[in-house]
Amino acid sequence: MMNVLIIGTGKLGYEVYRRVAVMPECHVTLLDHHRHDHDVSLATQLIGDATSVEDLKRALVGIDVVFSTVGITQAETFATALVQAMDEVGVKRLLWTTQFQINADQISEAMYDLANREFGFSREVETNYVAGQKAGAAVIKASDLAYTLLECHFFKYTDEADKLIVESAENAVSGGPLSIFSLATLIADMVLHNQDYPQRELMISARPKASI
C-alpha cells in the first residue's frame, strides 16, 4: 500500500485526489486549512496549517509520497516548513508544483502580454508571483529531499484534454497554458509511478491544438 499526502485541496489538489484515491494500492491523506463541500470520502482528511511544522509532521506519519500544491502566495514560507517537517519525520519523496518561469533571468514581454491578455494579470502581479515561486523553489532545491519540481505553464480551469509536453527545465518552454484536467492526470501518474520520474525539475506545458 502506497500512502500519499496531498497538501492543498483546491482545484488541482482535488483533481489529483480523485485520480489517485480510487487506485486499490493507494491511500490518500489530505491536508488543508478547512473542510470542503466536495466529496473526499476516499481519503483521510486532516485540517491543519501547511506553514506549521507540527501540523505537517502529524500529517506526514507513515507517508511515502508527498504532492504539494500550496504556495500561490508565501511559497517560501510553505516550502521552509515542509522541508523541515519532512526531514524530521524522515519522508523523502516530494512533488512540488511551481511556475515555469522560475529559472528565467527575467520574464519576457511575450509572457507578460500572455499573462495579461488571457488571465488578467498585471505586470506587477506576474512579477511578484514569479519571484515568490522562485523563492519557494530555492528552498526545495537546497534540501536533501528526493524532490521533483513541476514547473507548470499557466493553468486553464477547464476539463478539456490537452496533449502535454514534459521536458527538461533547462529548455525554454515549448508549449502553452494547460488544462487542470490534463495536468492532474499527469501528476496522478507521477504520484503512482514516482520512480519513473527521477528528474529534479520538469517543465510542463500543453501542445498547441493546431500542432497535434
Side-chain angles (χ1 to χ4, degrees):
M1 178 68 72
M2 178 187 295
N3 292 306
V4 179
L5 174 62
I6 298 176
I7 305 175
T9 53
K11 183 63 173 175
L12 180 58
Y14 180 62
E15 291 300 326
V16 172
Y17 151 77
R18 292 179 63 199
R19 289 157 174 78
V20 174
V22 298
M23 297 300 174
E25 71 274 18
C26 287
H27 177 74
V28 174
T29 298
L30 303 174
L31 177 67
D32 210 336
H33 62 282
H34 67 284
R35 294 190 183 277
H36 290 274
D37 293 334
H38 44 233
D39 179 17
V40 292
S41 58
L42 297 180
T44 298
Q45 187 175 21
L46 301 178
I47 306 304
D49 180 357
T51 66
S52 164
V53 173
E54 292 307 313
D55 285 359
L56 288 165
K57 286 168 63 176
R58 176 168 57 94
L60 284 162
V61 174
I63 294 298
D64 300 300
V65 182
V66 177
F67 167 59
S68 177
T69 183
V70 296
I72 293 177
T73 61
Q74 300 180 335
E76 185 176 10
T77 301
F78 282 107
T80 299
L82 183 57
V83 168
Q84 181 180 340
M86 291 181 70
D87 281 344
E88 291 184 13
V89 177
V91 178
K92 288 295 185 183
R93 189 66 174 109
L94 172 64
L95 302 172
W96 173 273
T97 52
T98 185
Q99 216 262 4
F100 69 103
Q101 298 172 97
I102 62 169
N103 292 318
D105 292 333
Q106 60 185 15
I107 300 172
S108 70
E109 290 301 321
M111 288 305 166
Y112 276 126
D113 290 345
L114 177 63
N116 182 256
R117 183 177 67 251
E118 298 294 332
F119 304 98
F121 299 159
S122 70
R123 193 179 189 92
E124 180 182 9
V125 166
E126 181 66 5
T127 299
N128 291 340
Y129 175 66
V130 173
Q133 293 299 302
K134 282 185 177 184
V139 173
I140 305 297
K141 290 179 182 182
S143 76
D144 63 355
L145 298 177
Y147 66 82
T148 301
L149 297 178
L150 309 179
E151 298 167 12
C152 306
H153 211 295
F154 297 119
F155 294 169
K156 297 183 294 183
Y157 290 89
T158 67
D159 289 335
E160 66 182 297
D162 288 319
K163 178 68 74 174
L164 297 181
I165 303 171
V166 182
E167 58 194 326
S168 169
E170 296 176 356
N171 303 334
V173 66
S174 297
L178 67 168
S179 69
I180 290 288
F181 172 89
S182 302
L183 179 59
T185 302
L186 173 65
I187 291 174
D189 185 70
M190 291 177 164
V191 169
L192 294 167
H193 307 101
N194 63 88
Q195 70 279 1
D196 296 336
Y197 298 90
Q199 299 92 336
R200 290 293 198 181
E201 301 182 54
L202 290 171
M203 190 93 74
I204 306 171
S205 60
R207 192 180 306 278
K209 298 291 186 184
S211 68
I212 296 175

